[in-house]
Structures are given as structure tokens and as C-alpha cells.
Amino acid sequence: MTVTAPPQADPADAPPSTPRRPSRRRRWLTLGIPAGILVVVLVVGAVWWFTGFSFIGPRYNDSSLLFDDFDGPAGAAPDRNVWSVQTGGGGWGNDELQEYTEDAVALNGEGSLVITATVPRDGSTPTSGRLTTQGKWSFGFGRLSARIKLPEGQGLLPAFWLLGDKVTTVGWPAAGEIDIIETPNTTSRSTHHLHGPSGRTGKWALNEGIDLPVSLSDDFHVYTVEKRPGRVIIAIDDQVVMDVEEWDVPLPGRWVFDDPTHALFSLAVGGNWPGDPDATTPVVNEMVIDWLSFEPADHIGDTPLGTSPEGAGAQ
């Protein structure tokens, strides 16, 4: 008997093998890891966007009282340990007409600081003054006040305001701006603003305008800003005129006012806002600052401005 081996199958004729399906668990792992990473990235990005991780380290807290009564001889500069006088023209981002000069900012010898804006009748360049505490003094949380007599006139924009200390590195509006008091053209109406960043390159603003029973140019008044974590309160003579909390910011705006800010006084002339001076604008205009005072957070306690038990500023 002849025994023959069974025929060998040709590999080319073999049916294609069925690929092994990955297990359900492996499929979930394959899909879940990238999804998990994406969720973490989104959460971390959102936390950074809204807080800047400010909770990781200690918040800025200036614990020193400050009081400047602008005492000194007439014509002297304000305390150079606190103030710097800014000079120059160029419109200052608002197409303003004035050139800021050193001699437009001086003590009057009677316990006040005076910023003088001169608007020539012949149409030549107006001069005025602007000063800042940038790089010398700033604060995180607390209550800052100034007693000021404001000038009035078409094309005049006196202001007491704050800028975020980061303005030199992140620019405006990313650093934030708080306009404690501005009175464009007329002091019968006060305006108050917060400016901050929105999205990658945008900006947001919250604005408040108050019609007043008296003209603020008639006498001195006290203008106050109180910064608390996630909250900014502005008042005139202890009467609250603006109260903004972090959650009031329109999305995708960011709250940046828990960072340190420095103070500025300025008296602008002309520009996109409030408009140019005219024949009714006085030639000489003075913004007179009697004093500036700062109380740190641990001095003002937990009761916000306008709600104190003594009734100061109660509405």
C-alpha cells in the first residue's frame, strides 16, 4: 500500500484571517486618555482665565497707612518718594490736545496740590499736568480717598484713577483700570468706570453716570475707592455711586482688580472724550487736591463701604 502525505495547502489560497478585535476595556482606555487630558486642559485653562492662579500664593496686601497732605512751599513738587510727574504729548491714547509739563503740577503753599491746565485762546497747544505713584506706591486691598476740587469747562477731563501695576508688562486693558471720578465737560454729572480684558485681545467696560444735586466744582469733595477680593466700591462723600463684583463682569471678560494698582491724577484737555475746548473754556483751570489717604484692608475691617453700622454712606 502506498501512503501519501495529505496535500499541503497553498498559503495564497488560505482565507484571510479575521483581525482580533480589541477588548471594550482597551477601547475605552484608548478614547478616555485623550478625552481626560482635554478635560484637564480645559479646567486648568478656565481656572487660569478667571483667577490667574492668584489663590496659590499670598495675595498682595499693603499693610501701611498713607496720608499725603501736600504740605510744602508754593511751587514745590509733590513728595518724590510717592509721586512722579509724567510729561509729554502725543494724545495719550485718546487724541488729547494737551502736553503734560512738569511745571503744571505744584504745591500751592497752602496745603494743597494743584494741577493747572492752560488753554490758550490763540489755539496753540494746551498744557496741563499728570502724576502717578507707579513704581513707588501701590496697593492690593484697602480704601483710598482724596479730597479734590474739580475744574469745569468744555473739553476738560479731570480724573482720579487707578491702573494695574502690570500695565508695563501686559499693557492696557489687560492690567485693568478703575476710574474713581471723571467729569468730562461738566461737574454736574460724575462718571465712574472699570476697564478690563476680554478674550485674547478684546476689552470690557462697566460704566456708571450720576446726575448730581450740586456742581462738584463749587467745593471740595471726597472721592473714595475700596478694593476687596472680587469687589470694587466707589463713593463720593461716603455715598456709594458704583459697586461692582467679580461676577458682574460680562463673559468672556476677566477680573484683574485683585492685583496691585497705583494711583493717578490727571487733567486732560480735548480728545475723543470729552471733545475739544471752545470759546467758553477758561484759559486757566485748576484741579486742587487737598489730601490723599489710604487705609489698608486690616484697618477697614470686614464691613464694606456704604454699609457700616454707623451709617456712613448708607443709602
Side-chain angles (χ1 to χ4, degrees), residues 28-183:
W28 276 111
L29 286 173
T30 302
L31 296 174
I33 291 174
I37 293 174
L38 178 60
V39 170
V40 170
V41 169
L42 291 175
V43 170
V44 171
V47 172
W48 170 82
W49 184 262
F50 288 105
T51 71
F53 296 117
S54 60
F55 55 85
I56 293 178
R59 292 179 182 268
Y60 183 92
N61 184 20
D62 190 321
S63 59
S64 300
L65 292 165
L66 174 69
F67 184 78
D68 193 341
D69 61 1
F70 301 112
D71 190 23
D79 186 351
R80 297 188 186 277
N81 293 315
V82 179
W83 301 100
S84 297
V85 177
Q86 296 180 308
T87 60
W92 294 85
N94 186 41
D95 292 330
E96 295 163 10
L97 302 178
Q98 83 288 328
E99 178 179 355
Y100 288 129
T101 62
E102 188 90 21
D103 59 1
V105 178
L107 305 181
N108 65 0
E110 299 174 2
S112 297
L113 174 68
V114 180
I115 300 175
T116 303
T118 304
V119 185
R121 294 287 188 208
D122 61 8
S124 56
T125 301
T127 59
S128 191
R130 168 172 165 149
L131 68 163
T132 177
T133 66
Q134 184 177 12
K136 296 182 177 180
W137 180 84
S138 60
F139 73 103
F141 303 116
R143 185 179 296 164
L144 180 70
S145 301
R147 185 172 185 261
I148 310 169
K149 185 176 182 181
L150 298 168
E152 178 171 294
Q154 171 60 38
L156 299 182
L157 181 57
F160 172 35
W161 49 303
L162 305 177
L163 274 177
D165 284 0
K166 293 181 180 178
V167 68
T168 54
T169 56
V170 303
W172 186 96
E177 175 182 334
I178 300 173
D179 298 315
I180 305 163
I181 178 67
E182 291 184 308
T183 53

Side-chain angles (χ1 to χ4, degrees), residues 140-279:
F141 303 116
R143 185 179 296 164
L144 180 70
S145 301
R147 185 172 185 261
I148 310 169
K149 185 176 182 181
L150 298 168
E152 178 171 294
Q154 171 60 38
L156 299 182
L157 181 57
F160 172 35
W161 49 303
L162 305 177
L163 274 177
D165 284 0
K166 293 181 180 178
V167 68
T168 54
T169 56
V170 303
W172 186 96
E177 175 182 334
I178 300 173
D179 298 315
I180 305 163
I181 178 67
E182 291 184 308
T183 53
N185 299 322
T186 176
T187 60
S188 295
R189 180 175 176 82
S190 65
T191 61
H192 319 272
H193 316 275
L194 267 66
H195 300 274
S198 182
R200 294 184 61 186
T201 59
K203 59 186 177 181
W204 61 266
L206 292 174
N207 311 299
E208 188 66 68
I210 305 295
D211 292 319
L212 302 163
V214 296
S215 173
L216 297 176
S217 61
D218 290 346
D219 204 347
F220 286 92
H221 296 273
V222 176
Y223 305 96
T224 300
V225 61
E226 182 169 300
K227 287 179 59 187
R228 292 178 175 270
R231 188 175 182 184
V232 171
I233 307 170
I234 298 173
I236 301 176
D237 294 332
D238 286 332
Q239 299 294 313
V240 173
V241 293
M242 190 174 192
D243 188 346
V244 178
E245 296 188 77
E246 183 173 356
W247 307 114
D248 296 327
V249 174
L251 294 175
R254 284 188 289 131
W255 179 268
V256 293
F257 304 106
D258 288 354
D259 290 335
T261 51
H262 53 272
L264 301 96
F265 292 111
S266 59
L267 177 50
V269 180
N272 299 324
W273 193 66
D276 292 343
D278 60 21

